[in-house]
Amino acid sequence: MTPHDLEELDMTDETDGSAYSSGPSGSTRETGPIGPILDAVDGWLSRFIRTTTPEDIHLLTLWAAHTYVVEQTYTSPRLQIDSVMPGSGKTTCLEHLAHLARRPLSASTISSEALLPRVLESGIRTILIDEADRSLDMKNPIMAGVLATINTGYKRGGSRPVLVKDSEGNWTDREMSTFAPVALAGNNPNLPDDTRSRCIRVLLMPDLDGTAEPSDWEDLEGDADRLQVQLSEAMDAARDAIAEARPELPPGCVARHREKWRPLARVAAVAGGRWPAIAEQLILRDLQEHETEKEEGLMNRPLRVHLLFDLAEVWREGETFVPTPELIARLAQTAPQRWGAESLKGLTPQGLGRMLMTGYKIASDREPTGARRRGYTRQALEPAWRLFHIDPADSDRTSPV
């Protein structure tokens, strides 16, 4: 299918030859007005990009489409374009998004933390960051500000103060919008947890069998630009419908997951046809991957959360009080990489007290028997354990975060 075919497209779903297909939970959806253009974009991307699972092509299509209606979707998930090895087409993927998404801005380096807010002063643009594993290196002191822009721009109304010169040439701070769609491409970039939690990940693979068409833009640019215009016009016409769409999300798609996936689910709901079922499949896969990572201990826990789990691990049955030195010794023996000789500094009474007080308002106390030793009571720890669904009697504990 080429962009030239769009004017002749009818409302037939290419999967079964009818105007209907199964939507989420077995429902039936009629193809909507933006369904044909999403099919065309999907067909275009599948010619040039290879993903580890075919469903990720659909994800790229929905993400490109949502960039035109982020004012209506309220949030905009960050797209993380990753690969298992170099040469998998991350830059090629960004190039195609640059020809399809709304007012793209491509950047392989960011020289100032004020750059993105200044660019967005003229209106919403789609930020495409290549080589994110290097361009967002946290060793660079300006990257904290850049990542703050990426994080705050995740929701409509996001902003941050930026220094600008006033009419008299004096520097003053002004609140500037950071709201924009963002795609990050890189080989497993070391993103902070708060940024990663806002990302939907697409994993690319090398074209080992040579089935992907080469992206020769000298020959492709005209067709790509026509497809972009048609996508832009179709999404603009669908703004009101997307603003009103309230698709039912799968069970468990709550909190940050809901914020990430609802924009794409709304686009899919208005597209109709096969697209609601595609969105549901993508969401369920993401939720399953999240649960698997939790079960296998692959998710990063903050050190303070690790502390709660480790304290429950070393707390013995029937104990109501444990002196601080004894707790530290047990923690160091159970998790030496975090608390013992294998850690950077080792845990001290002051460090233990600081984490428990600042994290959970848990203070040490004197031994109930009247001895002068200080330590911690089970009664003081139990509210925090309950908050994280930790049972000290359970030997198989996994974090819910």
Side-chain angles (χ1 to χ4, degrees):
M1 183 181 299
T2 70
H4 301 297
D5 298 325
L6 287 177
E7 293 181 0
E8 301 177 4
L9 281 173
D10 57 22
M11 305 300 281
T12 300
D13 190 312
E14 62 184 36
T15 59
D16 61 7
S18 71
Y20 302 90
S21 66
S22 295
S25 304
S27 63
T28 300
R29 301 294 182 90
E30 185 174 0
T31 303
I34 63 173
I37 184 63
L38 292 192
D39 291 338
V41 172
D42 212 52
W44 175 274
L45 292 173
S46 65
R47 290 169 52 190
F48 307 101
I49 299 169
R50 291 292 169 264
T51 56
T52 54
T53 58
E55 294 82 5
D56 279 346
I57 291 292
H58 308 323
L59 173 53
L60 290 171
T61 295
L62 288 170
W63 192 87
H66 107 285
T67 63
Y68 292 94
V69 289
V70 290
E71 297 93 337
Q72 285 70 43
T73 62
Y74 190 78
T75 56
S76 176
R78 276 60 193 106
L79 181 67
Q80 182 186 349
I81 303 170
D82 206 346
S83 67
V84 295
M85 60 182 293
S88 297
K90 295 182 298 298
T91 299
T92 297
C93 184
L94 281 186
E95 288 175 349
H96 282 274
L97 290 176
H99 281 83
L100 294 172
R102 173 185 184 177
R103 296 188 66 210
L105 172 68
S106 300
S108 57
T109 59
I110 300 176
S111 58
S112 167
E113 61 184 71
L115 175 63
L116 296 182
R118 290 180 185 277
V119 166
L120 297 173
E121 194 172 15
S122 62
I124 291 176
R125 300 190 67 175
T126 302
I127 310 299
L128 306 173
I129 301 176
D130 202 359
E131 307 292 345
D133 47 330
R134 292 195 290 270
S135 58
L136 296 181
D137 186 355
M138 288 304 293
K139 294 178 183 178
N140 186 332
I142 73 168
M143 282 306 108
V146 173
L147 287 169
T149 296
I150 293 173
N151 290 344
T152 59
Y154 171 76
K155 285 186 179 181
R156 192 174 69 194
S159 64
R160 62 166 306 178
V162 177
L163 285 176
V164 296
K165 282 188 176 182
D166 59 21
S167 58
E168 298 178 355
N170 299 316
W171 289 99
T172 182
D173 61 276
R174 191 170 79 207
E175 207 68 24
M176 287 187 172
S177 173
T178 57
F179 183 47
V182 177
L184 312 165
N187 288 319
N188 193 24
N190 185 26
L191 300 174
D193 288 344
D194 54 352
T195 304
R196 195 178 298 277
S197 70
R198 293 168 166 83
C199 289
I200 293 176
R201 184 168 176 252
V202 170
L203 189 62
L204 304 184
M205 63 179 294
D207 180 29
L208 299 178
D209 54 5
T211 57
E213 296 182 31
S215 295
D216 294 329
W217 290 109
E218 182 180 2
D219 300 323
L220 297 175
E221 199 155 30
D223 283 345
D225 289 346
R226 281 186 285 273
L227 184 58
Q228 184 273 331
V229 169
Q230 291 162 333
L231 177 61
S232 173
E233 291 175 348
M235 297 307 297
D236 189 57
R239 283 182 184 277
D240 290 344
I242 290 171
E244 296 172 2
R246 296 294 185 273
E248 183 177 352
L249 302 180
C253 189
V254 297
R256 185 56 58 81
H257 286 289
R258 179 181 177 84
E259 291 179 345
K260 289 195 302 185
W261 284 106
R262 196 182 191 201
L264 305 191
R266 291 168 81 167
V267 172
V270 174
R274 65 191 179 121
W275 288 99
I278 286 173
E280 182 180 53
Q281 182 182 14
L282 290 168
I283 295 170
L284 289 172
R285 186 189 67 178
D286 184 54
L287 294 175
Q288 181 59 52
E289 290 175 355
H290 181 81
E291 286 302 312
T292 300
E293 288 181 349
K294 282 168 50 178
E295 292 172 4
E296 296 181 357
L298 299 177
M299 299 188 69
N300 294 327
R301 297 176 185 166
L303 194 59
R304 290 172 182 170
V305 177
H306 273 297
L307 178 59
L308 280 185
F309 279 82
D310 290 343
L311 283 172
E313 182 74 22
V314 303
W315 202 275
R316 296 169 184 166
E317 185 177 357
E319 286 183 325
T320 59
F321 175 88
V322 180
T324 299
E326 175 66 17
L327 269 184
I328 291 175
R330 294 181 191 178
L331 290 169
Q333 183 177 8
T334 300
Q337 75 281 6
R338 282 193 291 274
W339 314 117
E342 296 180 22
S343 65
L344 185 61
K345 295 182 179 179
L347 187 62
T348 65
Q350 293 78 13
L352 176 63
R354 188 179 304 111
M355 280 194 288
L356 289 175
M357 176 56 73
T358 59
Y360 311 104
K361 295 187 177 180
I362 297 173
S364 64
D365 205 346
R366 294 196 182 278
E367 194 168 1
T369 60
R372 296 182 61 83
R373 294 186 303 176
R374 296 193 70 89
Y376 293 86
T377 65
R378 181 183 178 114
Q379 182 180 9
L381 289 165
E382 280 182 337
W385 281 338
R386 285 195 297 269
L387 180 66
F388 283 86
H389 304 285
I390 301 172
D391 180 3
D394 181 6
S395 61
D396 184 21
R397 287 179 285 271
T398 56
S399 170
V401 298

